[in-house]
């Protein structure tokens, strides 16, 4: 039973959030720059004060309990509000750590321009970049592990605010000399007759490509034995003659720079995707994230 006079401290909440994030007491203690016993004591004091078990610990793993999962977003929001309060009091309301998730088909093409711009515009901000697939980024947002995520919209999660940033077309990448190379009027239906290479399961670009195929009732001849975790690997397979692939517009310049690939473009209206910034609706830093979205939008690779 919760002690009605109990008031959790920020140190206790930080201990809980860090353990929930890293699922490892040693790592969480190191990130907070405290000893492991101090971390454990802070968690124990929080659990005793609330009358709830938040973390389940065994010799092999650390789990967040159902009560912990329920309270984690509120704990994160409390810490965000406290950090915001201190930053405002010291005259820099947009400083501090920003844990930013980015999907792999966006990160390599956005970060080279974005990170220097963030250092210039927000010198007190300390970005932490986490590249991962969409499902895990959304889960990270939901549980408070991430502050924001740059990914394809919509996420279809009612607990998130989504800010659309830009829409980009899909481009067909082919080996040099392919019969479709250079065309600007292809229809999605042509994919049904091509050996279409896809990213591995879990990547949103794979799902978007398959959704496009289903929308025109085709079943592409995907090379099932070819599995790739990055666009760089997929396009190298294309260059090697294993098939063709779809990549987002922003990746074209970087991934075709070697000169061993050619492209073909779809007739209007060309298929594509919307990239946006997502964050928890409960966050106290929504104004900061709106400002961040404007910076990202201005730095969009062309």
């Amino acid at each position: 039973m919760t002690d009605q006079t109990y008031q959790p401290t920020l140190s206790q909440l930080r201990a809980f959030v860090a353990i929930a994030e890293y699922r490892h007491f040693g790592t969480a203690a190191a990130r907070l720059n405290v000893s492991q016993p101090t971390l454990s004591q802070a968690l124990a004091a929080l659990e005793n004060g609330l009358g709830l078990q938040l973390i389940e610990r065994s010799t092999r793993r650390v789990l967040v309990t159902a009560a912990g999962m329920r309270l984690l977003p509120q704990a994160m929001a409390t810490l965000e509000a406290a950090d915001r309060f201190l930053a405002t009091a010291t005259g820099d309301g947009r400083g501090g750590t920003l844990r930013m998730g980015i999907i792999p088909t966006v990160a390599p093409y956005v970060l080279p321009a974005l990170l220097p711009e963030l250092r210039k515009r927000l010198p007190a901000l300390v970005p932490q970049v986490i590249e991962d697939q969409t499902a895990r980024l959304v889960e990270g947002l939901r549980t408070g592990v991430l502050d924001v995520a740059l990914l394809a919209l919509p996420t279809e999660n009612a607990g998130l605010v989504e800010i659309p940033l830009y829409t980009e077309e899909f481009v067909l990448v082919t080996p040099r000399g392919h019969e479709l190379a250079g065309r600007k009027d292809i229809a999605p239906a042509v994919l049904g007759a091509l050996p279409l290479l896809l990213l591995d399961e879990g990547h949103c670009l794979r799902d978007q490509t398959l959704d496009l195929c289903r929308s025109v009732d085709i079943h592409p001849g995907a090379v099932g034995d070819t599995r790739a975790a990055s666009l760089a690997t997929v396009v190298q397979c294309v260059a090697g003659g294993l098939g063709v692939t779809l990549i987002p517009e922003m990746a074209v310049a970087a991934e075709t720079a070697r000169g061993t690939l050619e492209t073909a473009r779809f007739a209007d209206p060309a298929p594509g995707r919307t990239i946006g910034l997502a964050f928890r609706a409960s966050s106290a830093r929504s104004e900061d994230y709106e400002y961040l979205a404007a910076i990202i939008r201005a730095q969009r690779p062309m």
Side-chain angles (χ1 to χ4, degrees):
M1 181 178 296
T2 304
D3 180 353
Q4 297 300 315
T5 65
Y6 171 69
Q7 294 291 324
T9 67
L10 292 179
S11 295
Q12 292 167 359
L13 292 178
R14 290 191 195 281
F16 165 47
V17 169
I19 295 167
E21 177 178 355
Y22 298 109
R23 307 297 173 97
H24 189 278
F25 276 69
T27 302
R31 291 301 177 96
L32 293 180
N33 198 28
V34 300
S35 68
Q36 194 165 325
T38 297
L39 183 82
S40 298
Q41 290 168 9
L43 175 65
L46 179 63
E47 291 180 322
N48 289 337
L50 296 176
L52 296 169
Q53 183 181 16
L54 305 176
I55 299 293
E56 182 179 331
R57 181 182 185 182
S58 69
T59 56
R60 294 187 176 183
R61 59 181 180 174
V62 173
L63 298 174
V64 183
T65 66
M69 293 298 291
R70 177 170 54 86
L71 293 175
L72 184 57
Q74 286 90 340
M76 284 299 307
T78 299
L79 293 175
E80 288 175 353
D83 290 343
R84 173 75 169 162
F85 173 81
L86 290 175
T88 301
T90 56
D92 193 346
R94 293 192 172 116
T97 299
L98 176 74
R99 296 166 301 175
M100 180 169 58
I102 311 182
I103 56 176
T105 55
V106 168
Y109 318 108
V110 167
L111 292 178
L114 177 60
L115 292 179
E117 188 66 14
L118 289 179
R119 285 195 297 271
K120 175 183 175 182
R121 301 274 292 274
L122 300 171
L125 187 70
V126 183
Q128 294 179 351
V129 175
I130 299 91
E131 184 184 51
D132 212 334
Q133 296 177 2
T134 299
R136 287 194 286 268
L137 294 184
V138 170
E139 179 65 11
L141 288 174
R142 192 184 68 80
T143 60
V145 171
L146 297 175
D147 298 314
V148 297
L150 189 59
L151 35 63
L153 302 181
T155 65
E156 299 181 348
N157 190 304
L160 300 180
V161 174
E162 299 176 354
I163 305 175
L165 299 177
Y166 53 84
T167 298
E168 57 179 351
E169 296 180 0
F170 292 144
V171 177
L172 183 68
V173 178
T174 72
R176 181 184 293 168
H178 193 276
E179 61 181 352
L180 294 178
R183 288 184 53 178
K184 298 181 180 180
D185 61 348
I186 63 173
V190 304
L191 300 177
L194 300 173
L196 187 60
L197 303 181
L198 303 173
L199 286 171
D200 208 350
E201 292 184 5
H203 288 274
C204 62
L205 183 58
R206 175 191 178 95
D207 297 334
Q208 292 155 2
T209 301
L210 293 176
D211 286 344
L212 172 61
C213 293
R214 283 190 286 266
S215 72
V216 291
D217 196 26
I218 61 173
H219 303 281
V223 182
D225 291 336
T226 298
R227 304 173 66 86
S230 70
L231 284 182
T233 300
V234 172
V235 297
Q236 286 307 304
C237 291
V238 172
L242 298 185
V244 301
T245 195
L246 291 184
I247 67 174
E249 175 70 37
M250 72 164 64
V252 171
E255 299 301 345
T256 63
R258 297 177 182 85
T260 56
L261 297 162
E262 296 190 74
T263 62
R265 295 178 180 270
F266 293 92
D268 290 333
R273 66 179 184 177
T274 298
I275 299 299
L277 191 72
F279 57 91
R280 288 183 303 282
S282 61
S283 175
R285 301 180 64 184
S286 59
E287 291 185 6
D288 294 345
Y289 300 153
E290 293 274 2
Y291 184 71
L292 174 64
I295 294 176
I296 298 173
R297 188 180 292 113
Q299 296 302 307
R300 175 193 175 184
M302 301 302 292

